[in-house]
Amino acid sequence: MKVEFVSKQIIKPSSPTPQNLGIFKLSFIDQLAPVMHTRILYFYPNIQNEAADRDHDRFERLKTSLSETLTLFYHLAGRMKDNAVIECNDEGVEFCEARVHGGFLSDILKQPDADSVHQFVPIDDAHLGSGFLAKVQVNLFDCGGLAIGVSLSHKIADASTIGSFIKAWSCAAVGCMTESMLPKYILGSLYPSMDFPIVLPAVEFRHFNCITRRFVFDSSKITKLKATAASKMVENPTRVEAVLALIWKCVTIASRTNLGITKRPSMVSQFVNIRKRTSPPLPETCVGNFLGHFMAEEPGESNNDDSEMNLQGLVIHLRKGLEQFTKEHVQKLQEGNNAFMTVCEGLKDLELVYKEGIDFYGCTSWCRFAFYEADFGWGKPKWVSIPSLKIKNSIILTDMSDGKGIEAWVTLSEQDMALMETNLELLEFASLNPSII
């Protein structure tokens, strides 16, 4: 399967950005965000078997509606300056057209591969100073199917912002844009930018020999898993709590087994969308980064290595961590004098990722963002994927197309993954990389 790039052009807003909106000030949370792009990938089968002469129409629809959407998300077409503001100069976003030869979209859907999907999304060259805050790569398969890869700078977008942008874009493509979809530019005034002595460098992840695998939890298995994970303290675990607890248990056991030990602390850091947790809640359409993370720890100090590593106990740890985060972190964020220090203290926790003597796992949940609703005029996507960054001990959770099941992309060392793939408790509730078709 070969991806051939046919054209690359700049898409600008359909209407000039008003002069009074020429400067977009970052929030200090955006300023602290990593210099990297976050990417998402949509797969659309050619259900109607459109003729070749319609391919041009589909590309034009995407470009025209993207241009219209950039009039609303005008900051995406601008350029970053000094890690403090975006000059909204309408310089545009990158739009690449590509043809995929030697394979069909169904080949990808039959056996999804964590490595192969990277060729369908824009290259993250933020560290090279490309300047683009948003990129799109549209891949046309020989069968007529499409894969649309979208990449937004993490400096100005979290998962919620990406979801808002793609929802608005797809609705513009079919002419059903509503006022409720309009972006809200309020985070910069709530958390004003600050003067930092240096410009933050691009994120540099340490490279390990690691492998990514996709585990799928369908809705019926999640129902059983939630019942198993329930306890008097958490009578009704959420989907994410139940799935993450099971994965946390299995990866920790794999690590301890390979190390030949039974006592070793294990920690999970889970990122949380803060918008709905403030009082009053902020609209999901407010753009920028407004997320934090909480920590949950399984101390690993018991003589019986299975006494603490049970689903009920891990779910309790996760629930307590989230409740404490909401009560303390979110409350401090809403107290203006404490907000900056609160965010900085939270970032320090992430230094544990490289600390010796503990197992540290980072989880990002992209569930409940309705990514499967993106219909550009040829139906909803058959599959939505979040290409893995290949970060060791990372877990990415996404919804399945029914909105009830969960896909988990787990990245571990080769040794730990070998045990994960054969863990009977995990495979009781999850399928290893099943076909999407």
Side-chain angles (χ1 to χ4, degrees), residues 82-143:
D82 300 330
N83 193 42
V85 301
I86 297 173
E87 295 182 334
C88 302
N89 49 23
D90 297 338
E91 290 192 10
V93 305
E94 184 179 82
F95 188 98
C96 293
E97 296 183 26
R99 298 292 192 275
V100 183
H101 305 294
F104 298 106
L105 187 145
S106 59
D107 297 332
I108 300 293
L109 300 181
K110 286 178 182 177
Q111 191 169 16
D113 180 74
D115 295 323
S116 66
V117 296
H118 284 272
Q119 62 189 320
F120 305 123
V121 292
I123 296 174
D124 181 3
D125 55 2
H127 61 289
L128 299 177
S130 67
F132 289 105
L133 299 179
K135 297 182 178 183
V136 174
Q137 180 178 325
V138 182
N139 309 269
L140 176 63
F141 287 76
D142 290 336
C143 61

Side-chain angles (χ1 to χ4, degrees), residues 361-382:
Y361 303 95
C363 175
T364 300
S365 173
W366 285 45
C367 295
R368 300 182 66 182
F369 284 115
F371 291 120
Y372 276 93
E373 296 301 311
D375 182 351
F376 291 90
W378 40 80
K380 295 179 181 180
K382 186 70 175 179

Side-chain angles (χ1 to χ4, degrees), residues 40 42 152 158-168 366 369-371:
I40 188 169
Y42 292 78
L152 266 62
D158 57 11
S160 182
T161 300
I162 293 173
S164 295
F165 168 69
I166 293 176
K167 181 178 182 179
W366 285 45
F369 284 115
F371 291 120

